Amino acid sequence: MRTARFRRTRRAGAVTLVSALTLTALAACGTSSSNDGDDNGSGNSANSDPAAPLDPKTKVTITIDCMPPTAKAAELKEWNEDVKEFNKTYPNVTVQGRSTPGQCLEPPRFTAMLKAKSQPDVFYTYFTDLAQVLDNDGAQDISAYVNDRTVPLLKDIDPDVLGSLKQDGKLYGLPTSNYRMGLLINRKLFTEAGLDPDTPPATWEDVRAAARKIAALGGGVAGFGEYSAANTGGWHFTAQVYSLGGDVVDTSGKKAAFNDAVGKQVAQNLHAMRWEDDSMGKTQLLKWGDLQKQIATDKLGMFLAAPDDVTYMVQQLGAKYENFGMGPIPGGKNTLAGGNNYMIKKGISPDKVKAAVAWLNFKFTTVGKGHYDWQRAKADGLPVGLPQPNLWLNESKAKDDAARKRYATMPVENFKAFMDNPVPGKAEPPKAQEIYKVLDNVMSGILTNKDADIDKLLSTAETQVNQVLATQ
């Protein structure tokens, strides 16, 4: 569910990505179908081995959605530069980018696109989209096309990230970015409350204690914030359950698993913070965007977020990078993980698939190039220094981390606690958006009703989620 640049629709939108970024049927943009027979891309290449790179003599045109719009001048500039650089190696490949006004990823458009088979050759998705795409027979199995020749850093890509693109051992795309949720803090308020901003709370008990101190500053300041609307409440309830080692859906994927001691602990803690401590503020039924505005204006001490929320707050809300920091998600058992990918349309020619893999490798899975050219990003006024996205392991991670630090446009030490204490990522549940919609009721009930019956809220939600899962 989510990225500051692309994830937003899901969070708050399919609700929102994140939940707010949305989750009904998470979406991607691009509504035009490709002509699979154009530019000799019909599969008649001299080298028909799918594991071999594209023959440079074979002319191919590929269509790619979610090209940055003109409103994002720096990002579009870099896209065009990357196409030009890519064509130095592959002059035979014509890259036709497609841009969609407004949010690129919108669930209704994405769903309609898949049903109409009108997706571009290379189409943008979230980690949670694979099931929906395969249900609509929309993505090409690219397992035979991806290897250490076509994607040289394949061994250094986080296997959990690649796992979001796999089913039954088959690979259906390549990643562009990833995130793991942590605790975002307002360093100014932490300092004013006598708390150490370099050591964010590590347990939910610590969060509760810190929230009380921050709320005691007065002036309408809340210590801790949570969502409870537009699917974002359910999204964050899931994250909190994960953080304590629980689950929302059992391993079979067919039964709700949150109506237990862990789920009750999450609900009771939030209810106590809201009503006993009065540390969460009086305005509730918040969705993605609301907490960001509060913390950016020094009215909120902390909330669960992904690192790129900071970019949104700086670029859109006028906040300063130095005012924020992050720690790992309290509890630390697991954290909700997500991100974005590109998949390749099923049925296009083998040469088009090869060209698509070559472009995605250049743009998104090469350290120091394309998406990971931090020197260029800094020169273009784009944010550098956030701990994510970061796909890398091994030497690639060390090289990329060093470049982020060298060209940082923000104080990277503010994220040290988050970086030094990695928490295992856990994927969103099946039918995520529908489940989050149900769990919104749990969150809103807890945060708007002092006399909420927690057992009843969880039991009712359990029944409803089981009904959702039964429709798979």
Side-chain angles (χ1 to χ4, degrees):
M1 209 164 143
R2 137 205 204 297
T3 142
R5 286 177 286 186
F6 296 115
R7 180 177 63 219
R8 300 309 178 202
T9 300
R10 274 226 196 191
R11 276 190 177 173
V15 172
T16 185
L17 162 234
V18 178
S19 290
L21 289 163
T22 150
L23 293 118
T24 270
L26 294 129
C29 67
T31 57
S32 301
S33 61
S34 61
N35 180 352
D36 294 341
D38 66 359
D39 291 292
N40 299 319
S42 58
N44 296 319
S45 170
N47 187 351
S48 60
D49 178 8
L54 178 68
D55 187 330
K57 297 180 181 180
T58 302
K59 291 185 177 182
V60 179
T61 296
I62 53 174
T63 54
I64 305 174
D65 70 358
C66 293
M67 179 180 73
T70 55
K72 294 188 174 182
E75 290 92 335
L76 181 57
K77 166 186 170 291
E78 293 187 354
W79 173 284
N80 290 330
E81 288 174 349
D82 286 339
V83 172
K84 185 176 180 179
E85 183 68 21
F86 175 74
N87 282 150
K88 291 180 180 179
T89 302
Y90 295 99
N92 54 315
V93 178
T94 298
V95 175
Q96 292 184 347
R98 293 178 176 169
S99 180
T100 300
Q103 287 285 354
C104 176
L105 298 179
E106 296 176 355
R109 179 187 293 134
F110 185 57
T111 298
M113 179 184 73
L114 289 175
K115 291 186 179 302
K117 309 295 184 188
S118 63
Q119 66 267 41
D121 300 321
V122 189
F123 60 101
Y124 198 82
T125 65
Y126 290 112
F127 282 9
T128 50
D129 286 336
L130 181 59
Q132 183 187 5
V133 172
L134 295 184
D135 285 346
N136 286 276
D137 202 27
Q140 173 73 38
D141 172 12
I142 61 172
S143 305
Y145 296 85
V146 176
N147 54 65
D148 58 8
R149 284 190 293 168
T150 58
V151 182
L153 297 183
L154 184 64
K155 64 178 175 45
D156 286 350
I157 298 176
D158 186 338
D160 288 340
V161 173
L162 281 178
S164 70
L165 285 157
K166 291 181 178 180
Q167 182 166 301
D168 299 327
K170 298 177 181 179
L171 180 68
Y172 291 94
L174 288 171
T176 66
S177 62
N178 63 314
Y179 74 93
R180 294 188 181 190
M181 200 175 290
L183 184 69
L184 179 65
I185 70 166
N186 181 304
R187 292 177 61 87
K188 177 183 176 182
L189 293 179
F190 261 63
T191 300
E192 290 179 356
L195 300 165
D196 181 1
D198 293 326
T199 310
T203 69
W204 286 106
E205 292 80 4
D206 293 340
V207 168
R208 185 175 177 185
R212 284 196 296 262
K213 291 183 178 181
I214 295 169
L217 294 172
V221 172
F224 180 74
E226 261 303 359
Y227 302 127
S228 53
N231 293 21
T232 54
W235 172 50
H236 270 210
F237 182 85
T238 297
Q240 290 207 32
V241 168
Y242 284 3
S243 76
L244 294 172
D247 214 335
V248 168
V249 175
D250 71 6
T251 54
S252 73
K254 298 178 180 179
K255 186 177 179 181
F258 56 81
N259 188 14
D260 62 2
V262 173
K264 184 175 291 188
Q265 180 180 345
V266 169
Q268 289 175 334
N269 185 61
L270 286 170
H271 189 268
M273 292 177 70
R274 170 69 177 94
W275 300 106
E276 295 176 25
D277 301 347
D278 193 22
S279 64
M280 296 186 66
K282 293 181 171 37
T283 302
Q284 297 299 326
L285 299 180
L286 304 175
K287 59 184 182 298
W288 199 93
D290 295 329
L291 296 178
Q292 287 79 359
K293 291 175 183 176
Q294 290 180 8
I295 202 168
T297 55
D298 299 330
K299 293 297 183 181
L300 176 64
M302 54 189 160
F303 74 104
L304 297 183
D308 66 356
D309 278 31
V310 178
T311 299
Y312 168 77
M313 293 185 294
V314 171
Q315 294 184 335
Q316 302 297 319
L317 303 178
K320 303 295 184 183
Y321 284 116
E322 56 266 25
N323 198 33
F324 305 106
M326 283 197 75
I329 193 168
K333 298 294 186 182
N334 292 292
T335 187
L336 191 147
N340 317 292
N341 334 279
Y342 271 105
M343 296 185 190
I344 297 173
K345 183 178 182 180
K346 186 173 183 179
I348 66 173
S349 71
D351 286 331
K352 282 179 175 283
V353 176
K354 290 184 178 183
V357 169
W359 164 255
L360 293 177
N361 174 63
F362 173 83
K363 178 68 175 171
F364 297 108
T365 59
T366 301
V367 172
K369 296 289 187 180
H371 194 56
Y372 289 92
D373 185 344
W374 301 120
Q375 182 177 11
R376 178 180 66 174
K378 180 178 182 178
D380 288 339
L382 295 173
V384 180
L386 290 172
Q388 294 172 346
N390 197 325
L391 307 176
W392 309 112
L393 302 174
N394 309 320
E395 292 182 7
S396 293
K397 178 173 175 58
K399 182 178 179 181
D400 184 67
D401 286 349
R404 287 174 194 256
K405 185 174 182 180
R406 179 179 180 183
Y407 298 109
T409 59
M410 64 192 73
V412 295
E413 61 272 14
N414 289 3
F415 305 96
K416 181 175 173 53
F418 180 82
M419 292 295 291
D420 288 353
N421 300 280
V423 176
K426 189 176 179 67
E428 295 179 81
K431 297 274 189 175
Q433 291 318 318
E434 294 173 66
I435 290 175
Y436 294 161
K437 184 176 182 180
V438 172
L439 292 175
D440 267 0
N441 297 325
V442 176
M443 294 290 273
S444 62
I446 292 166
L447 299 177
T448 65
N449 182 5
K450 185 176 182 178
D451 300 318
D453 185 334
I454 290 175
D455 289 338
K456 184 176 181 180
L457 286 170
L458 290 173
S459 178
T460 299
E462 178 184 33
T463 298
Q464 293 173 342
V465 168
N466 283 337
Q467 290 171 347
V468 167
L469 295 171
T471 64
Q472 294 188 85

